[in-house]
């Protein structure tokens, strides 16, 4: 019994560690594309709602945005979890904070996807 | 049991330790990561204005093209480059690469980060006619 509990916990921390790396590599591609394309290719371009909607008619930007949303949320919030686990030894508190971070992550992902869908479809 | 030595002693120890390259890199990675998380939520909040009112969105975007916010964009870019390049360094160590050249790799990558921020600054300053 004790054994299976430990196995489950260590399996979970392996996969979280692993996806922290996967999202890091994903973010290098997607986040650099996002910042360079929107800010530094033409820094004098004015960004407004209309130009944003036009840009999002291009599937590449939509895919980049949805992956950026997912990778950044997972990576950032799992990073916060890692920081909390470094400073907080109490299992009860850890569990509560992990659950809050999970719920926040899912809720913000859905919210971001809705805003993106609005910008793409009702443009 | 260890004797309690008081607050100044421990503050000094933490400060001295954070001057070690490895500790410094770790703290820098942590602080930049957490700041980018804060930025992510602010950024999504602003984009969500489009949902509520298109005119507000455009007004806010005009504010964000002021020199102050363009410089803040560059600060963000610097944070992302520092965090991202140091993240690559961490993953190289995970794969057993460069483990005997950790400090050199850190300072080398920080030079890359500074150069990339200088290039971005030059692009913005040229486009905006700051000189
Ligand atoms: C440019 C792409 C990025 C790369 C290559 C990258 C890489 C990494 C890596 C490898 C770690 C794990 C460090 C460890 O296990 O010791 C990490 C941690 C972290 N990252 Fe990133 N990251 C990137 C972008 C981001 C973004 C966009 C955010 C915010 C949304 C972020 C927030 C964090 C946080 C909060 C941590 C935890 C810090 C800690 O444990 O001290 N990172 N990053």
């Amino acid at each position: 019994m004790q054994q299976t509990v430990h196995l489950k916990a260590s399996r979970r921390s392996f996969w979280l560690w692993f996806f922290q790396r996967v999202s890091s590599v994903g973010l290098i591609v997607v986040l650099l594309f996002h910042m360079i394309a929107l800010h530094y290719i033409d820094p004098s371009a004015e960004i407004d709602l209309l130009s944003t909607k036009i840009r999002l008619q291009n599937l590449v930007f939509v895919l980049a945005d949805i992956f950026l949303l997912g990778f950044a949320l997972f990576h950032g919030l799992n990073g916060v979890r890692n920081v909390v686990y470094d400073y907080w030894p109490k299992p009860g508190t850890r569990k509560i904070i992990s659950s809050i971070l999970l719920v926040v992550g899912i809720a913000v992902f859905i919210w971001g996807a809705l805003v993106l869908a609005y910008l793409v479809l009702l443009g | 049991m260890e004797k309690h030595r008081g607050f100044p002693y421990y503050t000094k120890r933490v400060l001295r330790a954070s001057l070690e390259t490895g500790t410094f890199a770790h703290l820098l990675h942590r602080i930049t990561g957490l700041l980018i998380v804060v930025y992510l939520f602010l950024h999504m909040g602003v984009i969500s204005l489009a949902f509520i009112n298109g005119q507000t969105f455009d007004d806010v975007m005009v504010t964000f093209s002021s020199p102050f916010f363009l410089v803040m964009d560059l600060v963000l870019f610097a944070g992302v480059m520092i965090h991202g390049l140091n993240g690559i360094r961490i993953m190289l160590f995970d794969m057993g690469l460069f483990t005997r050249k950790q400090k050199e790799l850190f300072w080398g990558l920080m030079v890359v980060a500074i150069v990339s921020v200088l290039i971005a600054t030059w692009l913005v300053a040229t486009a905006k006619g700051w000189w």
Side-chain angles (χ1 to χ4, degrees):
Chain A
M1 180 60 205
Q2 197 61 22
Q3 194 70 13
T4 48
V5 171
H6 283 175
L7 214 70
K8 244 168 101 179
S10 70
R11 220 177 263 145
R12 175 156 57 227
S13 44
F14 167 74
W15 284 112
L16 288 175
W17 176 90
F18 182 70
F19 283 119
Q20 189 73 359
R21 267 71 191 155
V22 172
S23 58
S24 299
V25 175
L27 279 168
I28 295 171
V29 178
V30 179
L31 181 57
L32 281 184
F33 171 75
H34 178 80
M35 292 194 77
I36 292 173
L38 270 77
H39 296 273
Y40 299 120
I41 283 189
D42 179 8
S44 63
E46 301 294 341
I47 298 174
D48 58 16
L49 194 52
L50 185 63
S51 69
T52 303
K53 285 176 173 170
I54 293 171
R55 177 173 61 81
L56 287 173
Q57 293 307 304
N58 185 340
L59 187 64
V60 175
F61 281 104
V62 180
L63 287 177
D65 278 2
I66 201 84
F67 274 101
L68 180 57
L69 179 65
F71 283 148
L73 275 173
F74 171 78
H75 183 97
L77 293 178
N78 187 51
V80 172
R81 182 178 177 275
N82 288 342
V83 176
V84 169
Y85 272 53
D86 265 1
Y87 300 129
W88 228 288
K90 264 173 90 177
T93 325
R94 284 181 168 189
K95 210 165 210 158
I96 292 169
I97 291 175
S98 295
S99 314
I100 293 174
L101 290 172
L102 182 64
V103 172
V104 168
I106 292 173
V108 175
F109 181 81
I110 293 173
W111 171 255
L114 284 175
V115 174
L116 188 61
Y118 163 79
L119 288 171
V120 172
L121 299 174
L122 302 180
Chain B
M1 205 181 140
E2 208 188 323
K3 165 164 148 264
H4 184 70
R5 297 174 198 254
F7 186 68
Y9 173 81
Y10 290 105
T11 312
K12 232 181 271 171
R13 270 188 61 169
V14 169
L15 285 179
R16 191 162 306 147
S18 59
L19 289 177
E20 283 281 331
T21 305
T23 319
F24 179 70
H26 174 69
L27 288 176
L28 197 61
H29 194 74
R30 187 153 274 191
I31 292 166
T32 48
L34 292 174
L35 285 178
I36 301 168
V37 173
V38 172
Y39 174 78
L40 172 66
F41 284 104
L42 292 176
H43 186 56
M44 286 188 66
V46 170
I47 306 299
S48 303
L49 285 175
F51 223 5
I52 297 158
N53 185 328
Q55 190 53 48
T56 322
F57 181 86
D58 286 354
D59 291 345
V60 172
M61 285 301 146
V62 170
T63 313
F64 285 167
S65 61
S66 70
F68 172 76
F69 281 103
L70 289 178
V71 171
M72 292 314 281
D73 277 350
L74 289 166
V75 172
L76 173 70
F77 186 62
V80 168
M81 290 310 291
I82 290 170
H83 183 93
L85 289 169
N86 194 48
I88 294 173
R89 192 182 75 110
I90 294 168
M91 292 187 285
L92 287 172
F93 300 159
D94 288 343
M95 295 183 284
L97 299 171
F98 296 103
T99 47
R100 287 170 188 281
K101 286 266 176 280
Q102 304 200 359
K103 293 182 187 178
E104 293 83 345
L105 191 57
F106 176 72
W107 295 116
L109 289 172
M110 290 306 103
V111 170
V112 175
I114 292 168
V115 170
S116 64
V117 173
L118 289 178
I119 293 173
T121 308
W122 181 79
L123 286 174
V124 173
T126 307
K128 293 288 170 181
W130 285 352
W131 43 50

